[in-house]
């Protein structure tokens, strides 16, 4: 297993005792797997990402990456968040390069060759995310979508084995969001990076993931872990009309709404559909 979580839980001390944010959970993530985490606001999804990243200690449990305990942040894990996290005083290229300069502080030796390779990698990523012409611009000169493309390039520059993304496209308009989803799919298919992706958007989760993990309200518990059953290559806007897609979307929405309705009832309530087989698919 690439990532192995055992009994990972979190509670925060408060004035009236402990507040449980995340109920202890086990999760195994295969190498190259893309998992979306969906659940109500405040159920502990971001907390879970912070724990896996080594940015925050768990109250209980352990996280192993390739069999080794995660005790703090490291280059093996790339991060991307919804909010703007680029340094406003650095150019796009300097922002993308920034994680590498941090690594250099720790290891100065043998620098010249590596610096050349890294410069080539930074430039390659800038081209890949379509920011080559804006490499010398400041973040404030970019649109929201371009800033997130720069943040994505920065998350990938250290060649992470695991990518943790917390609603990275949540603040973008619909068209830009679709473009970013396409770019991300392209990148992860080529690099097979193991990814945990937090989103509120069930369509987005199904379009991108191998597996969708659904959380309950706080303290978050895993309600279901669903393998996405349709081929990723076929994923596009037309897919949202596909019966298998709709079936899984209904299943996830029903879990999120916490009501056990029959499939036919759900169809009528959520989609106004009348001709779906009550037996359902898989
Ligand atoms: P999500 O990402 O699912 O919206 P979070 O992981 O951000 O949820 O938060 C889970 C719960 O933990 C929330 O109820 C939140 O109020 C609480 N929480 C998060 N961070 C802190 C903190 N530093 N101190 C106290 N409570 C916190």
């Amino acid at each position: 297993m690439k990532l192995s979580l055992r009994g990972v839980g979190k509670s925060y001390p408060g004035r009236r005792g402990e507040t449980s944010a995340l109920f202890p959970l086990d999760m195994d993530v295969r190498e190259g797997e893309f998992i979306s985490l969906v659940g109500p606001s405040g159920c502990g999804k971001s907390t879970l990402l912070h724990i896996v990243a080594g940015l925050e200690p768990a109250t209980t449990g352990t996280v192993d990456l390739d069999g080794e305990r995660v005790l703090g942040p490291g280059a093996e894990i790339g991060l991307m968040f919804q909010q703007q996290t680029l340094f406003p005083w650095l150019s796009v290229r300097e922002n993308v390069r920034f994680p590498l300069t941090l690594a250099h502080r720790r290891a100065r030796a043998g620098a010249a060759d590596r610096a050349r390779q890294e410069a080539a990698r930074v430039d390659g990523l800038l081209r890949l995310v379509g920011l080559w012409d804006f490499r010398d611009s400041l973040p404030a000169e970019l649109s929201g979508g371009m800033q997130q493309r720069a943040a994505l390039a920065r998350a990938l520059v250290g060649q992470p084995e695991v990518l943790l993304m917390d609603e990275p496209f949540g603040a973008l308009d619909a068209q830009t969001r679709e473009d970013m989803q396409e770019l991300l799919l392209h990148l992860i298919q080529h690099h097979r990076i193991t990814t945990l992706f937090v989103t509120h958007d069930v369509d987005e989760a199904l379009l991108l993931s191998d597996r969708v993990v659904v959380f309950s309200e706080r303290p978050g518990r895993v309600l279901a872990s669903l393998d996405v059953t349709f081929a990723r290559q076929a994923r596009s806007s037309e897919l949202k009309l596909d019966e298998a897609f709709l079936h899984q979307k209904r299943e996830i929405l029903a879990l999120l709404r916490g009501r056990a309705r029959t499939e036919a009832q759900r169809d009528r309530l959520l989609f106004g559909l009348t001709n779906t087989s009550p037996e359902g698919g898989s």
Side-chain angles (χ1 to χ4, degrees):
M1 278 303 150
K2 192 70 186 170
L3 275 174
S4 223
L5 281 59
R6 287 290 168 271
V8 172
K10 182 78 182 181
S11 42
Y12 291 102
R15 270 179 299 166
R16 276 176 288 155
E18 299 249 299
T19 305
S20 180
L22 185 65
F23 199 78
L25 66 85
D26 294 342
M27 191 186 292
D28 285 317
V29 186
R30 291 191 299 276
E31 171 128 42
E33 196 174 17
F34 190 114
I35 297 185
S36 283
L37 311 177
V38 300
S41 247
C43 74
K45 305 180 295 295
S46 304
T47 302
L48 181 62
L49 285 199
H50 291 162
I51 292 170
V52 173
L55 295 170
E56 201 172 319
T59 311
T60 61
T62 55
V63 178
D64 288 349
L65 172 61
D66 285 327
E68 283 189 31
R69 194 78 11 120
V70 173
L71 298 170
E76 321 75 53
I77 297 183
L79 300 167
M80 186 173 168
F81 300 104
Q82 177 179 338
Q83 63 276 26
Q84 227 280 54
T85 53
L86 300 173
F87 295 117
W89 62 90
L90 294 180
S91 72
V92 168
R93 191 193 232 158
E94 288 162 341
N95 263 292
V96 171
R97 201 166 68 91
F98 186 76
L100 302 176
T101 58
L102 282 182
H104 286 172
R105 287 184 172 211
R106 292 198 288 268
R108 278 237 159 102
D113 265 1
R114 203 182 46 208
R116 261 193 299 279
Q117 284 168 11
E118 288 178 350
R121 199 191 315 152
V122 169
D123 290 355
L125 276 169
L126 287 168
R127 287 198 170 87
L128 203 59
V129 301
L131 286 178
W132 180 247
D133 291 344
F134 294 87
R135 61 193 178 279
D136 297 320
S137 304
L138 292 172
E141 299 172 283
L142 306 183
S143 69
M146 290 157 88
Q147 290 177 6
Q148 284 307 70
R149 278 190 268 153
L152 180 57
R154 189 182 55 182
L156 295 174
V157 76
Q159 299 180 305
E161 295 165 41
V162 174
L163 193 54
L164 303 177
M165 307 180 89
D166 196 350
E167 297 203 57
F169 310 145
L172 303 177
D173 64 84
Q175 182 58 52
T176 310
R177 189 170 185 144
E178 276 188 23
D179 293 344
M180 288 300 292
Q181 289 166 354
E182 216 166 278
L183 174 65
L184 181 64
L185 266 187
H186 172 80
L187 291 174
I188 56 173
Q189 274 170 355
H190 280 78
H191 297 278
R192 294 305 291 158
I193 302 171
T194 309
T195 307
L196 293 183
F197 186 94
V198 169
T199 180
H200 273 107
D201 183 333
V202 176
D203 284 2
E204 181 170 77
L206 285 169
L207 285 170
L208 295 173
S209 311
D210 300 306
R211 187 148 57 104
V212 180
V213 175
V214 185
F215 286 84
S216 70
E217 286 179 354
R218 188 178 66 82
R221 291 169 195 257
V222 174
L223 293 177
S225 172
L226 305 166
D227 288 324
V228 177
T229 49
F230 35 87
R232 188 182 263 156
Q233 295 86 300
R235 297 182 198 188
S236 67
S237 34
E238 287 102 75
L239 184 76
K240 293 182 187 169
L241 304 171
D242 184 282
E243 190 51 45
F245 175 91
L246 287 173
H247 175 78
Q248 290 208 296
K249 179 173 174 178
R250 283 194 292 273
E251 204 175 343
I252 294 168
L253 287 173
L255 285 164
L256 290 173
R257 281 157 207 234
R259 294 179 208 139
R261 298 184 188 279
T262 67
E263 201 164 318
Q265 277 175 320
R266 269 183 266 144
D267 288 346
R268 279 197 293 281
L269 279 166
L270 297 172
F271 302 102
L273 300 177
T274 52
N275 58 351
T276 313
S277 152
E279 284 79 36
S282 53

